[in-house]
Every structure is written in structure tokens, then in C-alpha cells.
Amino acid sequence: MKFSNDFLFGAATAAYQIEGAIDIDGKGLSNWDEFVKIPGKTFEGTTGDVAIDHYHRFKEDIKLMAEMGLESYRFSISWPRVIPNGVGEVNQKGIDFYNAVIDECLKYGIVPFVTLYHWDLPLPLERKGGWVNKETIDAFVNYASVCFNAFGDRVKHFITFNETVVFCGHGYLAGAHPPGIKDEPKQYFQATHNVFSAHAKAVLAYKELRQFGDIGLSHVFSPAFSVDDSAENRWAEQHANQFGINWYYDPILKGHYPEYVTEILEKNGWMPEILEDEKQALIKAAPLNDFIGLNYYQPVRVEKILGEAESVEHSRQNSTGAPGNPSFDGAYRTVAMADKRYTKWGWEISPEGFVDGLRLLKEYYGDVTMYITENGLGDEDPIIEGEICDIPRINFINDHLCAVKKAIDEGVNVKGYYAWSAIDLLSWLNGYKKQYGFIYVDHNNNLERKKKSSFHWYKDVIDSRGENLNYPA
Ligand code: BG6
């Protein structure tokens, strides 16, 4: 029951959620630095101004990760720390910081897995239209090239974008992420297309440098399953997966969009503007992608909306991931089911859905290399006699790693697993209350770090290469 020796056991974080130091050493402001200051946007007004102060404590944090036996660490680079205005001058102190983080990882033999964009867009670019403005595409490719040149000698795994569906969906449909726009499908599809174009052009730029590393992108993977066997709900499942999976992976892996979706977009006037050079870039880059990343937390259970389309009054509360909302096009709704298990935040716990979803991806995209770039349990961890006893997290990760092993044994090509998260960090909309880490951060005591029960458990899993997991009978 061992995972192969080249399988990477890792854990992940993202810059805005850990670094703090938002205006130190030449860093420019990001869209998030501004957005979190709008009343009501985040849980109890929490911000990443200090976060867990990783900017000043990264050596201590990476030392702990090494002690946990981590083989790889996925973290993101803050674009405005490297290029404060988004374009133009490069901030050497920003480059120095990430060089130090990378070198610290390598000192312990930890493979750095670098995300270039985990949602913090330089503020001047957001002000000029953000991802709807095509200038952002070129700005991103320039920023990516700066990173390849600065870090590519030591970083051999790059993720261009994290979860396009989340930052564009929340940004232009739910209004829950910057730029806080609601119900604008036309802008939403334009933003996603611009992101895919930026990805494709960055892949081409990377391959031209011949750095002999791997590049791909990460998507939140929430496969849709019908609530029952009825024809209408089966239709809802297929419809949801076309918009939630194929719209996101087809342009990357096949170099073109799924016809099912484009026909609907044309009919509704939602089709994005696609320039010829962008079309060509998608086609050329498709075979050059080395992997896709999947962030799996939960599947969605769907049923078709019969009759009048429902509308939803968007709020932070109904944007934090629990089922119960109609789809943006009013075609189906996501539902919580009586026979399923849910976290305290209402997210379904389904390792079975993970295996089924991975099978589905293999069916769609064949033998593509995959990394699970996020998976984990958000919880309020119990503290008993000073110990952080996060047993539910241990059970969650155990069951999901077993699901990954099962899929691998069935022939799905998964090369690594990154638990979310390496250390407790800021949840974009849920503040510090919702914890994911193996390492606890005490916000009442100078951000002191403390190992949780799961820290010791994950170390044992890595040491035994998964042999000591509690596999289902
Ligand atoms: C993923 C993001 O969508 O989910 C992470 O990539 C995020 O950045 C994680 O923290 C968990 O989300 P939440 O809302 O529970 O903090």
C-alpha cells in the first residue's frame, strides 16, 4: 500500500494568507489589500495586513515543515511584491525574499512548487479593469517571465494560476472577491478567457527559456453529481460539469473551448472576445502543459431547477462554499443531502466523490499528469490541555489519501498530494476562525507556532510512504 518513491507528499499555502508585511520593503498594494477594508466583505473584518507574519518568520516555518518530513512545499509569489505596480520596475527586495524562501526549502531538500497567481493582483491593474482588461494578459506574461528568470534555476514546478473559477466567479458573479462585481456573466467569461490566454502565453514563454521544469495550472475540482437518477437531474450534472470542469480544462489541455458551452454563451451574448493570437497561443500551449493541479475539497450535488429561474441575494455568507445556491444561469441548484456528511462550514466530506471525480477526469482527458495541489479540512480545532487535537483533520486527510491511492491503482496518473494547508492561515472570507494547518498559530500569544496532532501523524504517513494509512476494508 505504499505510494511510489517519486510521489511528492507536500502541503500548501498562499502569499496573501500568510505573509503580512503588505507595505514593507517596496511591496505594492494588491486588490485584496484594498478589498478587505470594505466593511462586511470578510469575517469580522479580518485582513492579511499581518496574517501570520510569515514574511518575518519563514525560516522558523520552513524548519517546522522540514521537521514534519515535507517533501514539497507549494507557496505563491505575490505579484505586487515583485512588481509593485504590476508592470514596470521590479522590486529587488521582493526577489530577494522569494530567493531566500526557495533557498531555505532547498536547504532541507524540500521541493519548491511555486504558484505565480493566487489572487493578489497589483492594485493599479485592478483599477484599470483587472482580468477583463486585455493589458493584464501581457502584464502577467511579463511578471511570469521575471519569475522564471529569477527563480527558474531552482524552481522546477510552476503553477500559473490558482482556481480561475473562484477568483473570476466570486469577482464577477457573486461580488465576494475583488473587484466585487455581481451578476455580470459577460465579464466573468471574458475574465476567464483572458486568464487562459495569459496562462498559454506564459507556458510558451517558459518553454522558450528551456529551463527543463514543469508548468501547469490549478483548478478547484468540484465534480457535479446528480442527486438522483432522473433524466432532468442527470442533465443538470452534465450541464454543471461542462461549465465547471470542461470550460476550465479544455482550453488548457485541448486548446479550444467546449462547444456545448460556447453555443450557450453565443445564444446569451456572453461569448468573450477571443483575439486570433490568443486562439493560436491556446492551441500551441495545449500539448506543452506538463500537468494539471486539482484542488479538491468537495463535490457538488445538483438538481435541475424546474420552472422559474431562482435568483440569489449575494452575501459573504452564501459565497463561502456551502451548497444551497442556484447556478449563475438559473439552470440548476446545488443541494445539501440528508445522507451525506458535512463540515462545520457545510462542505461535503466525500472521499468517494474524489475517486469518482478522478475517474471522470481520466475519461475526459486520458493520461494527463495530475497533482492534488490542495485538499484539507477547515475546522475549529479542539485544544485539550494545551494540545491541538485535530483528529477530524487526520481522518479527513487519511481518507482522501486513500482515495488518491485507489485512483492511482486504477491507472489515474497522480504524482503528488499537497494538503491545504501547511500551517494555519487566513481564510479569505472566514478569517482565522477556520483552520486547515498541521501547525497552529496562536493569535493571542504573539503568533506562536505549535505542532498539532496531525503534524506528527503526517510525518508518519510520509515516513512510511502511506503504508500506515488506515485503508478502508
Ligand atoms: C481554495 C483556495 O479555494 O480554498 C485557498 O485556493 C483557500 O486559498 C481554500 O484558503 C479554503 O477556502 P476557505 O474559504 O475555507 O478558506
Side-chain angles (χ1 to χ4, degrees):
M1 299 310 274
K2 282 188 178 182
F3 284 75
S4 65
N5 284 336
D6 62 348
F7 183 90
L8 289 172
F9 284 100
T13 64
Y16 185 70
Q17 298 178 273
I18 59 169
E19 286 179 4
I22 58 160
D23 52 5
I24 284 178
D25 287 343
K27 178 184 169 292
L29 291 182
S30 76
N31 54 352
W32 272 93
D33 292 326
E34 184 183 65
F35 187 75
V36 293
K37 306 282 159 60
I38 303 170
K41 288 295 183 191
T42 65
F43 175 74
E44 291 178 347
T46 37
T47 75
D49 287 7
V50 177
I52 60 160
D53 199 27
H54 179 75
Y55 188 75
H56 297 110
R57 301 184 187 220
F58 69 94
K59 288 195 177 171
E60 177 189 352
D61 292 340
I62 294 171
K63 188 167 184 239
L64 281 165
M65 292 178 208
E67 207 185 307
M68 191 166 55
L70 221 59
E71 295 178 327
S72 182
Y73 172 39
R74 175 185 173 223
F75 60 91
S76 82
I77 290 179
S78 161
W79 182 351
R81 199 179 287 292
V82 170
I83 306 181
N85 290 317
V87 289
E89 212 175 313
V90 173
N91 176 30
Q92 187 55 43
K93 285 197 172 156
I95 301 276
D96 293 347
F97 171 66
Y98 293 109
N99 269 331
V101 170
I102 291 161
D103 290 347
E104 202 65 16
C105 287
L106 294 175
K107 181 170 117 187
Y108 296 106
I110 297 174
V111 174
F113 212 113
V114 169
T115 311
L116 295 174
Y117 187 84
H118 201 125
W119 306 351
D120 44 352
L121 184 70
L123 192 53
L125 295 182
E126 187 70 275
R127 294 238 164 93
K128 284 174 80 183
W131 283 108
V132 173
N133 183 346
K134 289 201 180 284
E135 283 175 28
T136 306
I137 302 175
D138 295 337
F140 177 80
V141 179
N142 170 60
Y143 155 64
S145 301
V146 167
C147 292
F148 300 149
N149 283 309
F151 314 124
D153 56 336
R154 287 149 296 143
V155 173
K156 295 297 165 194
H157 299 82
F158 283 105
I159 293 169
T160 53
F161 288 93
N162 181 67
E163 299 186 353
T164 313
V165 67
V166 175
F167 69 88
C168 293
H170 279 9
Y172 296 96
L173 295 174
H177 280 196
I181 292 170
K182 292 180 183 171
D183 299 320
E184 285 294 343
K186 172 94 180 148
Q187 291 190 47
Y188 163 70
F189 285 105
Q190 187 66 61
T192 59
H193 166 72
N194 290 350
V195 169
F196 303 142
S197 303
H199 165 82
K201 290 182 177 187
V203 168
L204 295 174
Y206 182 66
K207 293 296 169 181
E208 223 163 80
L209 289 172
R210 295 176 62 78
Q211 292 188 337
F212 305 106
D214 290 348
I215 189 162
L217 112 175
S218 283
H219 179 42
V220 65
F221 181 57
S222 308
F225 299 108
S226 167
V227 292
D228 59 25
D229 269 337
S230 67
E232 63 264 20
N233 293 334
R234 286 268 169 231
W235 173 88
E237 168 183 313
Q238 180 263 352
H239 182 83
N241 283 332
Q242 283 281 343
F243 277 84
I245 298 178
N246 303 104
W247 178 260
Y248 285 91
Y249 286 129
D250 279 20
I252 305 306
L253 295 172
K254 297 183 171 175
H256 59 79
Y257 289 107
E259 233 173 80
Y260 177 87
V261 179
T262 50
E263 272 174 21
I264 295 173
L265 299 195
E266 293 282 7
K267 222 166 64 200
N268 288 283
W270 297 336
M271 195 64 190
E273 181 189 18
I274 302 176
L275 302 180
E276 188 53 32
D277 74 305
E278 296 165 357
K279 204 167 152 185
Q280 292 309 322
L282 285 171
I283 294 169
K284 273 197 220 136
L288 301 177
N289 281 279
D290 297 295
F291 65 87
I292 52 170
L294 318 180
N295 296 354
Y296 176 82
Y297 289 90
Q298 58 171 339
V300 286
R301 309 288 165 184
V302 295
E303 69 184 7
K304 187 171 185 196
I305 294 177
L306 302 167
E308 283 284 288
E310 298 161 8
S311 69
V312 64
E313 189 49 53
H314 297 295
S315 66
R316 189 192 64 81
Q317 208 48 44
N318 62 19
S319 303
T320 48
N325 291 327
S327 59
F328 81 96
D329 59 353
Y332 67 90
R333 69 173 79 78
T334 59
V335 288
M337 295 177 74
D339 63 340
K340 307 289 179 214
R341 294 183 298 144
Y342 293 89
T343 71
K344 276 186 201 159
W345 271 264
W347 291 20
E348 186 182 333
I349 301 176
S350 180
E352 311 78 36
F354 198 8
V355 182
D356 289 341
L358 287 168
R359 286 185 187 128
L360 195 72
L361 275 189
K362 189 172 162 61
E363 198 181 301
Y364 289 157
Y365 302 112
D367 196 30
V368 58
T369 299
M370 302 179 201
Y371 286 91
I372 310 307
T373 41
E374 284 180 31
N375 174 244
L377 175 70
D379 207 356
E380 268 179 290
D381 297 329
I383 303 182
I384 303 168
E385 292 171 4
E387 293 301 313
I388 302 104
C389 303
D390 56 341
I391 309 304
R393 175 162 307 106
I394 291 176
N395 292 335
F396 182 100
I397 295 181
N398 179 86
D399 296 351
H400 285 77
L401 269 172
C402 292
V404 172
K405 184 72 171 73
K406 189 174 168 115
I408 292 173
D409 291 345
E410 285 182 17
V412 181
N413 188 9
V414 185
K415 302 293 281 178
Y417 173 91
Y418 292 76
W420 185 266
S421 49
I423 183 166
D424 282 351
L425 39 68
L426 171 70
S427 164
W428 304 89
L429 302 181
N430 299 291
Y432 296 101
K433 199 177 164 71
K434 192 179 191 188
Q435 299 149 5
Y436 279 93
F438 295 115
I439 300 164
Y440 174 77
V441 176
D442 192 344
H443 286 267
N444 296 317
N445 183 19
N446 194 30
L447 303 178
E448 193 194 46
R449 278 52 173 160
K450 221 171 164 194
K451 297 167 200 167
K452 301 186 189 178
S453 302
S454 60
F455 179 102
H456 306 287
W457 172 83
Y458 198 44
K459 180 175 173 36
D460 286 346
V461 170
I462 299 171
D463 281 351
S464 73
R465 304 219 58 72
E467 198 172 29
N468 68 355
L469 285 168
N470 193 5
Y471 287 96

